[in-house]
């Protein structure tokens, strides 16, 4: 039985099978834009202000640096795998290839929920900005469509959040090339807004605001790192598009590193500006940059930043919906879920069925769950995926040192071990409710695997040979 659930595909076979199914049309800069789109979002427009105000003060800069270093440890591991196994599925595929079917299954199974929930949470967040802007314009919108039940008087459904989820699904169904062009354009707008914030804000910095730099102590900056860590991943979802890259073995590792590097430079500069413009005690934890610019007499720019925040966060939805649909597609193609889900559109070569299912599912979560409850569905699966990928890259380096690698994780095995340690440490911050949700989803996954997936797996049906060690 153990041999069955720990069976593995040869890495060489994964790298060459199913070629031509998905359309390879993404270049290096489109991949990088998708990565930046997934990383820069609520973190820079909302989270930075909240952590500065409540946890770290000006040392929020240190929080982002710590989180960035820890995230880079995992990013290097993803980059090595992406260059070696340029296939859809990301952590699911890597775990399946190195640690066995049961490990790959559970990472994939959990990411289905995690990524879908992230799409929903982001949609709810954008909807909140939308409601604020509509109110500023004096437009009266019926209360029933402004939020999930229990979030306000008369609220029935967050209609704008539902529409956003369906819109992203529609864009992804246009074909990866058209969808990526849209994403690249919107990411360009977002980066332009961030650069505008940094350049203009630089002239309003008061260095006195940097004192004291550690008002909550060094421990406050470290605690802040645990919070902002969730603003410095996104490349993991982008790596699920490896099979749609023109030259994945060369471009995917570069896109992962470039997207994290660009995002970290922008995060660091933006936090310097934010904490320099206002004393950390006066920073609005919900709309830090908008309130900072309003405080220095630039309300017009503050409104522009609010619009930029909406546009910027929209790209996060795109990246994570792309991620969940490609993981689902890969699992179905491997026989772990029904093959019906893996059917591609005959012309656009995208998994239309799963894309619409995810669009509707994320829309239902966004429409009818308060943001806090929806957020409880996120985080743990991504951290576990980081652990699996970092462990797998160490195992494969020693098990198969002969495999050609277009990128090699530096500092082996210490760098990926740092990624494992930091991810496990962050898991300890998660709430009991998150663990309960994870246990329930894990149990459902266990039932599905042994009732269906184990018998219908391509490997179980006489597909690629079992290479279980022994």
């Amino acid at each position: 039985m153990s041999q069955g659930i720990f069976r593995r595909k040869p890495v060489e076979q994964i790298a060459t099978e199913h070629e031509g199914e998905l359309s390879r049309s993404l270049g290096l800069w489109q991949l990088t834009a998708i990565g930046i789109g997934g990383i820069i979002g609520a973190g820079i427009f909302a989270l930075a202000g909240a952590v500065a105000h409540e946890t770290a003060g000006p040392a929020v800069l240190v929080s982002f640096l710590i989180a960035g270093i820890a995230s880079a440890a995992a990013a290097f591991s993803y980059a090595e795998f992406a260059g070696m196994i340029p296939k859809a599925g990301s952590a699911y595929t890597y775990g399946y290839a190195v640690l066995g079917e049961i490990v790959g299954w559970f990472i994939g199974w959990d990411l289905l929920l995690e990524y879908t929930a992230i799409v929903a949470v982001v949609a709810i967040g954008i909807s909140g900005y939308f409601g604020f802007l509509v109110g500023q314009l004096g437009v009266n919108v019926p209360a029933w469509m402004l939020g999930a039940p229990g979030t306000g008087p008369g609220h029935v459904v967050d209609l704008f959040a539902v529409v956003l989820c369906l819109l992203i699904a529609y864009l992804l169904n246009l074909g990866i090339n058209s969808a990526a062009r849209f994403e690249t354009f919107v990411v360009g707008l977002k980066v332009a807004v961030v650069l505008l914030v940094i350049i203009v804000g630089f002239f309003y910095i008061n260095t006195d605001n940097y004192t004291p730099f550690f008002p909550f102590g060094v421990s406050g900056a470290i605690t802040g790192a645990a919070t902002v860590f969730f603003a410095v991943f996104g490349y993991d979802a982008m790596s699920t598009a490896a099979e749609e890259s023109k030259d994945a073995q060369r471009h995917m590792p570069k896109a992962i590193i470039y997207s994290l590097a660009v995002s970290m430079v922008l995060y660091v500069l933006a936090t310097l500006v934010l904490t320099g413009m206002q004393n950390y005690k006066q920073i609005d934890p919900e709309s830090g940059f908008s309130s900072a610019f309003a405080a220095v007499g630039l309300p017009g720019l503050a409104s522009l930043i609010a619009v930029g925040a909406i546009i910027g966060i929209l790209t996060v939805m795109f990246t994570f919906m792309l991620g969940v649909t490609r993981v689902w597609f890969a699992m179905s193609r491997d026989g772990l879920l029904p093959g019906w889900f893996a059917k591609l559109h005959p012309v656009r070569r995208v998994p239309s069925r799963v894309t619409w299912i995810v669009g509707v599912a994320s829309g239902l979560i966004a429409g009818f769950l308060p943001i806090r409850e929806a957020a409880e569905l996120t985080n743990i699966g991504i951290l576990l995926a980081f652990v699996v990928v970092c462990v797998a890259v160490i195992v494969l380096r020693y098990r198969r040192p002969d495999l050609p690698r277009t990128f090699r994780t530096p500092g082996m095995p210490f760098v990926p071990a740092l990624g494992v340690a930091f991810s496990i440490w962050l898991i300890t911050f998660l709430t009991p409710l998150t663990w309960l949700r994870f246990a329930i989803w894990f149990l459902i996954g266990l039932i599905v695997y042994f009732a269906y997936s184990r018998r219908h797996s391509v490997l179980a049906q006489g597909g690629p040979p079992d290479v279980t060690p022994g």
Side-chain angles (χ1 to χ4, degrees):
M1 177 178 174
S2 63
Q3 285 191 340
I5 66 174
F6 287 105
R7 54 196 169 207
R8 296 179 283 109
K9 286 185 181 181
V11 171
E12 298 93 334
Q13 180 145 2
I14 296 177
T16 57
E17 67 181 349
H18 304 299
E19 194 59 43
E21 288 187 356
L22 293 169
S23 173
R24 288 196 178 274
S25 56
L26 299 178
L28 173 60
W29 298 114
Q30 286 176 310
L31 289 168
T32 304
I34 293 173
I36 294 172
I39 298 171
I40 296 182
I44 203 164
F45 292 110
L47 205 55
V51 172
H53 179 76
E54 300 165 359
T55 310
V60 64
L61 166 67
V62 177
S63 300
F64 271 102
L65 287 174
I66 293 173
I69 291 169
S71 186
F76 287 138
S77 300
Y78 272 89
E80 179 164 326
F81 271 120
M84 193 166 37
I85 309 176
K87 289 296 175 181
S90 187
Y92 154 73
T93 301
Y94 311 151
Y96 197 167
V98 181
L99 302 177
E101 185 173 277
I102 190 70
V103 176
W105 160 262
F106 276 114
I107 289 302
W109 177 252
D110 210 51
L111 288 181
L112 293 183
L113 181 62
E114 304 284 336
Y115 283 176
T116 301
I118 287 174
V119 172
V121 169
V122 173
I124 298 169
I126 299 177
S127 180
Y129 275 106
F130 175 76
F132 171 77
L133 287 176
V134 167
Q136 291 290 94
L137 296 173
V139 178
N140 291 320
V141 179
W144 65 266
M145 61 181 286
L146 288 177
T151 59
H155 288 185
V156 176
V157 60
D158 193 332
L159 188 61
F160 186 68
V162 174
V163 171
L164 275 177
C165 292
L166 297 177
L167 173 63
I168 298 298
Y170 169 75
L171 288 171
L172 284 171
N173 268 308
L174 291 178
I176 191 62
N177 206 22
S178 299
R181 279 199 300 267
F182 167 81
E183 172 81 345
T184 302
F185 172 73
V186 176
V187 167
L189 288 179
K190 171 165 65 175
V191 171
V193 170
V194 175
L195 288 174
L196 179 66
V197 166
I198 293 169
I199 293 169
V200 176
F202 177 80
F203 294 99
Y204 291 88
I205 288 177
N206 178 357
T207 54
D208 290 342
N209 289 326
Y210 294 136
T211 305
F213 192 73
F214 289 96
F216 299 93
V218 175
S219 61
I222 296 173
T223 302
T227 304
V228 302
F229 182 81
F230 300 110
V232 294
F233 61 78
Y235 53 80
D236 58 309
M238 179 267 285
S239 67
T240 63
E243 205 169 324
E244 290 155 287
S245 167
K246 292 177 183 176
D247 188 353
Q249 290 182 313
R250 287 197 313 118
H251 289 168
M252 285 301 301
K254 291 179 181 178
I256 290 171
I257 303 303
Y258 290 171
S259 60
L260 181 60
V262 169
S263 299
M264 285 308 304
V265 169
L266 293 177
Y267 274 138
V268 167
L269 293 176
T271 53
L272 275 173
V273 166
L274 177 63
T275 54
M277 289 180 69
Q278 272 193 312
N279 185 278
Y280 74 93
K281 296 177 183 177
Q282 299 171 331
I283 293 174
D284 186 331
E286 294 184 359
S287 57
F289 285 100
S290 291
S291 65
F293 279 94
V296 297
L298 296 173
L301 188 56
S303 298
L304 178 63
I305 292 170
V307 174
I310 295 175
I311 295 173
I313 298 173
L314 187 68
T315 65
V316 179
M317 291 182 65
F318 179 97
T319 299
F320 282 97
M321 190 176 291
L322 173 71
V324 67
T325 56
R326 273 42 179 186
V327 170
W328 194 336
F329 167 76
M331 294 177 72
S332 299
R333 190 171 61 183
D334 289 339
L336 301 183
L337 291 171
W340 182 87
F341 296 117
K343 297 295 183 183
L344 297 175
H345 189 281
V347 177
R348 301 182 187 122
R349 311 306 298 166
V350 293
S352 297
R353 292 173 177 176
V354 296
T355 302
W356 280 118
I357 292 170
V358 169
V360 171
S362 58
L364 290 174
I365 295 172
F368 296 100
L369 280 184
I371 191 166
R372 180 170 295 180
E373 292 182 23
E376 288 292 347
L377 300 175
T378 68
N379 297 340
I380 191 169
I382 294 166
L383 289 171
L384 289 175
F386 279 17
V387 171
V388 165
V389 172
C390 290
V391 168
V393 82
I394 296 173
V395 170
L396 195 62
R397 183 72 72 86
Y398 288 100
R399 181 191 289 160
R400 294 293 309 276
D402 58 302
L403 285 173
R405 292 166 168 86
T406 57
F407 177 87
R408 300 177 73 87
T409 302
M412 181 67 72
F414 303 106
V415 168
L418 175 63
V420 172
F422 201 88
S423 297
I424 292 174
W425 176 65
L426 287 174
I427 287 174
T428 66
F429 282 81
L430 300 178
T431 66
L433 183 59
T434 300
W435 279 102
L436 176 62
R437 190 280 309 163
F438 174 72
I440 294 171
W441 189 247
F442 183 92
L443 179 61
I444 295 171
L446 200 65
I447 294 170
V448 173
Y449 178 76
F450 284 102
Y452 178 89
S453 308
R454 183 169 176 264
R455 291 183 292 108
H456 291 84
S457 163
V458 169
L459 294 184
Q461 298 297 319
D466 186 344
V467 292
T468 305

